[in-house]
Amino acid sequence: MKLSKLKNAFAEWLNNMLYSSRSQVLNTLISLKAFIWLTATILLLYVFGFETEKGELEQVFLGLDVVLIIYFSTFLIRLLYEFRRTEFLKNNKLETFLVLIIIINTISNHFLDNKIIGFFIESFEFKSYEDAYLALITFFFIILIIYELINASDIFSRLKASPANSFIVSFMILILFGTGMLMLPAMTNQEGSMKFMDALFTSVSACCVTGLIVVDTATFFTIKGQIVIMILVQIGALGIISFASFFANIMKSGVGIKQQLFLQDYLISESLFSAKGLLRKIIFITLLLELITFVLIYFTWGDEVVFTSQAQKLFFTAFHAVSAFCNAGFSLFTNGLAEHGVATSYILHIVVAISMIFGTIGFSTIQDIFSLKRLRDRYQNPWKDWTLSTKVAVYTTAFLIVFGMLVFYLLERDYILSDKNFMEATISSFFQSVTRTAGFNTVDIGALRTPTLILLAFLMFIGASSGSVGGGIKTSTFYLILVSVFATIRGRLKIEIDKRFIPKELLFKALSIFFFAASINLIGVFVLTLTESNFSFVQIIFEQVSAFGTVGLSTGITSELSTAGRVVIILSMFVGRVGTLTFAFALSSRQISQNYKYPKAHLMVG
């Protein structure tokens, strides 16, 4: 008791002594932190983006060590000047954890003969101490820099821009950042920098989780460039605002109402509370499913797939696990999953396909089906069922997969599948039906028949389910339009699904999405027929729909597109990713509802 009183008395005395200088010191630390992260970013860009000699690398390491010391000192000063120090540590868990890593690493370097670095060298087969240290320090600073950028994301909530505009601007910033990173000399195996248009195209394709490429990801980029693409895919799949809002929610004061309203619509959540709560679970679900996919892929590589080292196998596995769940379609094989050896790894194909399915049915659907709370609730109350949104997502997705698989098999059984037995042909058909949202391929897409290309274009246009990482008009939109058509044919005035009444606002939204999607694709195809006259009409339609649906399947014409054609595809990928309705709302202002009603009019239709 006496010790507690002495502790409180000392804390009060210390706070009183520091109070007069607190404001000035904290303001100075803000400027110092900005300088720290600017310096760290420049040093990392230099060592990561350019080829450096050993002497230059040592100087960079020295600079990074100085930055770490300053960062450690600023953290201690901030802790000292916080009157509620325990609460400060709780509110800054990540920074506290990273500071502990600095302390552990310092102890290892000075007293344990760098055993921590040595462990990474042995486990991941790094060529030298410098490579291992660079990998660790880069990962460390990337986390810190992202953390500081997320803390600065409060700017979005202070701006008067609408959530839709904020969402679009955030993606533009991510795309430009990715373009700049890919243009650094060390990102490619060629001399000099990557061309701006090629870098922009690749960055848009990665951020929009499309997978269309103008250069070979496997051979054109170094491992650094491939890592950048993987990071862009991961951030782009989740949505940068969702990413930032999640971390802001768990680390700072929470998510603003404006962000919550947008996230509610973006995640297809029924309430602000559920949208805000779902954000936490999105990251957990994503990382968990990607980890499971990583483990399964690691053990299902075919015997004919040869890796030069254990580190390469781990990296290839991680890259394809992220690309599969995020439905990106990027591959580190020149021919995708149709590469020799990989093309016959049918268990691998099933693993990748299942991961893609989880990525397309939507986060809220996964939560509704697999959360322990919902499972326990349904077990205790058998009469409780999935939500209507979950049913539509699951049943429509299952129907499209089965329909696509059967038609693909029937169309290609005597053609591209002729060299496979029944089971191999079935798995290949299943995979190509699933990959309508992802862009992976286990067969040569360019060799498919015209009816098959039309089938895939139809499936790509529909795309994934709402609130997922995939694109397209979404399965719920397709289902709602289909139900409304049948209701009209039957002369029903109301649309009812599973004994639930569907309000007209949802139907209008579905029709608007369909109209914008169809219009954008028609415009894209029209322009491409003018700029790419050397390709067939079916190839152009397939490429355009693939870009809009953020799929990434191609008949092989992407790298041969003209500059104008690439611009069309870039815009299609971007609009397809941010969403046609979001894009339309961003370009217009919402009308204030009028509390009056005009007389009913009759208009001939059909």
Side-chain angles (χ1 to χ4, degrees), residues 444-456:
D444 182 7
I445 300 299
L448 296 177
R449 301 172 63 205
T450 297
T452 310
L453 293 176
I454 294 174
L455 165 71
L456 292 178

Side-chain angles (χ1 to χ4, degrees), residues 4 15 94 113 137 183 202 382 414 475 553:
S4 177
N15 291 341
L94 179 60
D113 194 26
I137 203 73
M183 290 181 68
T202 305
D414 297 326
T475 54
L553 291 176

Side-chain angles (χ1 to χ4, degrees), residues 523-533 540 544 561 565 568-569:
I523 294 171
V525 169
F526 176 76
V527 176
L528 288 174
T529 54
L530 296 175
T531 62
E532 316 301 322
S533 56
I540 289 175
Q544 166 60 34
L561 293 173
V568 172
I569 296 300

Side-chain angles (χ1 to χ4, degrees), residues 181-433:
M181 288 295 296
L182 293 175
M183 290 181 68
L184 294 174
M187 299 296 155
T188 64
N189 289 310
Q190 68 171 12
E191 292 186 6
S193 300
M194 189 179 186
K195 294 179 181 178
F196 172 76
M197 183 55 69
D198 290 347
L200 177 63
F201 191 101
T202 305
S203 180
V204 171
S205 184
C207 295
C208 298
V209 290
T210 305
L212 289 175
I213 54 174
V214 290
V215 294
D216 183 12
T217 309
T219 59
F220 186 83
F221 294 102
T222 62
I223 188 171
K224 292 180 180 179
Q226 292 165 353
I227 289 173
V228 169
I229 290 174
M230 183 171 67
I231 293 173
L232 293 177
V233 165
Q234 186 72 89
I235 298 176
L238 296 175
I240 195 169
I241 287 184
S242 299
F243 216 83
S245 298
F246 167 76
F247 282 105
N249 186 32
I250 65 173
M251 295 176 184
K252 297 235 7 172
S253 57
V255 183
I257 292 296
K258 184 188 293 186
Q259 290 169 311
Q260 291 182 40
L261 285 168
F262 174 72
L263 291 168
Q264 177 187 346
D265 186 62
Y266 179 69
L267 300 174
I268 319 299
S269 182
E270 295 179 357
S271 66
L272 286 177
F273 178 78
S274 59
K276 185 177 177 181
L278 188 58
L279 274 173
R280 291 175 178 269
K281 296 167 186 174
I282 284 178
I283 306 298
F284 174 76
I285 291 171
T286 299
L287 296 180
L288 177 63
L289 291 177
E290 286 178 351
L291 177 61
I292 294 172
T293 304
F294 172 87
V295 174
L296 294 175
I297 289 178
Y298 182 85
F299 290 106
T300 53
W301 289 114
D303 295 333
E304 297 181 23
V305 184
V306 180
F307 297 101
T308 58
S309 65
Q310 182 67 18
Q312 187 191 49
K313 184 177 181 179
L314 288 170
F315 178 66
F316 270 56
T317 304
F319 187 97
H320 287 88
V322 171
S323 187
F325 178 76
C326 294
N327 280 232
F330 278 92
S331 176
L332 296 183
F333 298 103
T334 299
N335 298 313
L337 299 187
E339 187 82 6
H340 174 72
V342 185
T344 54
S345 302
Y346 292 103
I347 303 299
L348 173 69
H349 298 174
I350 294 174
V351 169
V352 172
I354 292 174
S355 181
M356 290 189 292
I357 291 172
F358 274 104
T360 59
I361 60 176
F363 292 107
S364 57
T365 299
I366 295 173
Q367 174 68 14
D368 186 30
I369 297 175
F370 297 103
S371 72
L372 294 177
K373 181 180 178 182
R374 300 286 177 86
L375 288 173
R376 192 184 304 112
D377 191 23
R378 282 194 288 267
Y379 177 77
Q380 296 172 349
N381 305 284
W383 53 271
K384 287 192 174 181
D385 203 352
W386 295 343
T387 65
L388 180 59
S389 296
T390 299
K391 289 181 180 180
V392 170
V394 172
Y395 296 149
T396 308
T397 299
F399 169 77
L400 291 174
I401 290 174
V402 174
F403 170 76
M405 179 181 70
L406 290 176
V407 178
F408 186 95
Y409 179 86
L410 293 174
L411 291 175
E412 296 293 338
R413 185 67 190 94
D414 297 326
Y415 295 90
I416 205 167
L417 301 177
S418 59
D419 61 335
K420 305 179 187 297
N421 60 39
F422 174 76
M423 184 59 66
E424 293 171 347
T426 301
I427 293 175
S428 296
S429 301
F430 167 72
F431 187 92
Q432 292 310 138
S433 180

